[in-house]
Amino acid sequence: MKTITVLLAFFAITMAKKLEERFAWNVMEYDWPNSDVMEHYIKTGKYIKDNNLPLGLEVWGDKMFITVPRWKAGVASSLNYIDLNSKDKSPKLRPYPSWEANELPIEGDAPKLEDRIQTAAGRDHAAKPVAVGDGLKDNSTIISTFRVQADECNRLWVMDTGLADILGKPNQIAPPAIVVFDLKTDQLLRRYDIPKEQIKEDTFFANIVVESDADDCGNSFAYVPDLGSYGLVVYSLNENKSWRVKHNFFHFDPLNGDFNIGGVNFQWTDGLFALAIGDKKSDGTRDIWFHPLASTKEFVVSNKVLQNETHVTGLNYYYDFKLIGDRGLNGQSSAEVYDKKTQNIFYTQLNKDAIGCWNTNKEYRPDSAGLVDSDSNALIFPNDLKVDKNGNLWVLSDRLPNFIYKTLDNDDVNYRIMRGTTSEIIKGTPCEN
């Protein structure tokens, strides 16, 4: 009887720390301006409900940003938001910054080259001319984005791939670009096209991680991993310049490219994908942890190494990158984020339908890490996760393998956003301080 009581107490603790479902959708719908617009989008094929899959999320104020990449034709808007305080369990998406900015350009819409100049001024740096990418109506246009990040300076950073209908008839409408918006005014601050020489044959930019300081907003850096060609693009906002870094640690592990998720078996060769930025140390540096998606290993490098263009594009930087450990069998992960409050890194566990944690004060080993939640229904392919300023971990799961290789059942819940307080969900795990 005593054993049963102990087991019941254990399961009660386990259930108490699980992530809670905050939003859920069978299919993604939009908050249309009016019924005529909706009918037009449906009739012209601009909106095919089955083709709109949410992938990335971010939280700023009472907004939750949700990205919908243009995997297939019929995505109404790629960059969107919902009201975080909405009582609706399945709120409709609102395009950001506008419907117009998320419309795909029609051939002939783009202005002539001499007209493709728009001034974008940030409050921390002088106004500079910004060239509009080929095929765009204007700089605010978002073709297709996977991940976004809000920074310490109330700016939203968007990695726009410029590529539409990825799984159908791929159309590179515009060059891959970093797009920055002022979240207080919803106005464009900058659009920066990734230089051609930093784009390789199999390049695919699906993530962006930003390092910024509220006391020095101009001195910000964006890190953009290239999962297809195994590189990293580092962008300096102050210099309005980027450089490409290459390293063996950015490649996928050929022994960890096999996935079994939601009843789907497939093989991926995705390289560098996830990054997390740590606290500032006494010497002013920060650790940047990273890993390829098709891998179980974790690595680290100093931000000052990546920010030194001359050094990191030279010959003698290899040993500045360090292997810190391994997540173990089936430990492949699509995203990670550092939580200042608990000094933990939270990361997705794709093959385990789970969310993992690692206390950065401990060694990186399978037995020193933990799972804060695992659910073979609600967490099928946890794709992205973020920690907000209030210490909440937000997780988006979207059954992506079924979407790509099979079909999704519209009578079932396919997309979820889960939430948990970081200090609570690590209780009872090796990640607890």
Side-chain angles (χ1 to χ4, degrees), residues 25 58 66 118 132 168 240-241 246 287 293 303 307 421:
W25 299 265
E58 178 60 296
I66 298 176
Q118 176 175 323
V132 178
N240 196 34
K241 180 184 181 182
K246 59 181 181 180
D287 283 334
L293 188 149
N303 65 336
Q307 292 170 15
T421 304

Side-chain angles (χ1 to χ4, degrees), residues 25 27-32 38 47 49 91-94:
W25 299 265
V27 296
M28 303 305 294
E29 298 187 52
Y30 293 83
D31 187 8
W32 305 100
M38 180 181 69
Y47 174 58
K49 65 179 181 179
K92 296 180 179 180
L93 300 180
R94 302 174 183 175

Side-chain angles (χ1 to χ4, degrees), residues 116-120 128-132 139 189-192:
R116 293 176 183 175
I117 297 293
Q118 176 175 323
T119 298
K128 297 179 180 179
V130 182
V132 178
N139 270 328
L189 292 176
R190 181 169 294 184
R191 185 182 195 97
Y192 175 82

Side-chain angles (χ1 to χ4, degrees), residues 177-190:
I178 296 170
V179 189
V180 187
F181 293 98
D182 185 330
L183 285 166
K184 291 188 175 181
T185 65
D186 301 330
Q187 296 300 305
L188 177 74
L189 292 176
R190 181 169 294 184

Side-chain angles (χ1 to χ4, degrees), residues 47-263:
Y47 174 58
I48 303 171
K49 65 179 181 179
D50 292 354
N51 293 354
N52 289 252
L53 173 137
L55 189 141
L57 82 165
E58 178 60 296
V59 174
W60 180 83
D62 59 1
K63 283 187 173 73
M64 170 170 282
F65 291 93
I66 298 176
T67 68
V68 182
R70 286 193 159 96
W71 286 109
K72 305 175 183 179
V75 172
S77 172
S78 187
L79 178 57
N80 312 278
Y81 72 96
I82 59 175
D83 183 350
L84 199 57
N85 300 315
S86 174
K87 295 181 180 179
D88 189 346
K89 192 75 172 178
S90 307
K92 296 180 179 180
L93 300 180
R94 302 174 183 175
Y96 184 90
S98 65
W99 273 102
E100 291 75 19
N102 281 276
E103 281 189 312
L104 286 181
I106 300 173
E107 188 174 352
D109 272 359
K112 296 179 181 178
L113 182 60
E114 58 268 25
D115 297 327
R116 293 176 183 175
I117 297 293
Q118 176 175 323
T119 298
R123 47 203 154 107
D124 50 288
H125 55 274
K128 297 179 180 179
V130 182
V132 178
D134 293 339
L136 298 184
K137 290 184 293 184
D138 61 55
N139 270 328
S140 296
T141 304
I142 300 297
I143 301 299
S144 181
T145 183
F146 285 69
R147 299 266 173 86
V148 298
Q149 184 176 334
D151 72 3
E152 298 291 330
C153 301
N154 298 307
R155 300 174 299 208
L156 183 69
W157 295 67
V158 182
M159 182 58 232
D160 184 6
T161 66
L163 180 65
D165 200 5
I166 300 167
L167 299 178
K169 298 178 180 179
N171 182 11
Q172 191 71 53
I173 295 173
I178 296 170
V179 189
V180 187
F181 293 98
D182 185 330
L183 285 166
K184 291 188 175 181
T185 65
D186 301 330
Q187 296 300 305
L188 177 74
L189 292 176
R190 181 169 294 184
R191 185 182 195 97
Y192 175 82
D193 290 349
I194 305 295
K196 291 182 180 179
E197 63 271 18
Q198 295 171 21
I199 300 173
K200 308 304 177 182
E201 183 179 356
D202 294 321
T203 283
F204 200 86
F205 299 120
N207 194 12
I208 184 167
V209 177
V210 180
E211 179 184 350
S212 64
D213 190 327
D215 296 325
D216 189 8
C217 291
N219 188 31
S220 299
F221 290 84
Y223 306 100
V224 181
D226 182 350
L227 66 89
S229 289
Y230 315 125
L232 176 69
V233 171
V234 180
Y235 170 71
S236 166
L237 180 69
N238 191 43
E239 297 182 54
N240 196 34
K241 180 184 181 182
S242 65
W243 47 94
R244 184 181 176 95
V245 183
K246 59 181 181 180
H247 199 280
N248 290 3
F249 294 170
F250 296 164
H251 289 245
F252 79 103
D253 180 351
L255 299 179
N256 284 291
D258 189 40
F259 297 80
N260 289 279
I261 301 170

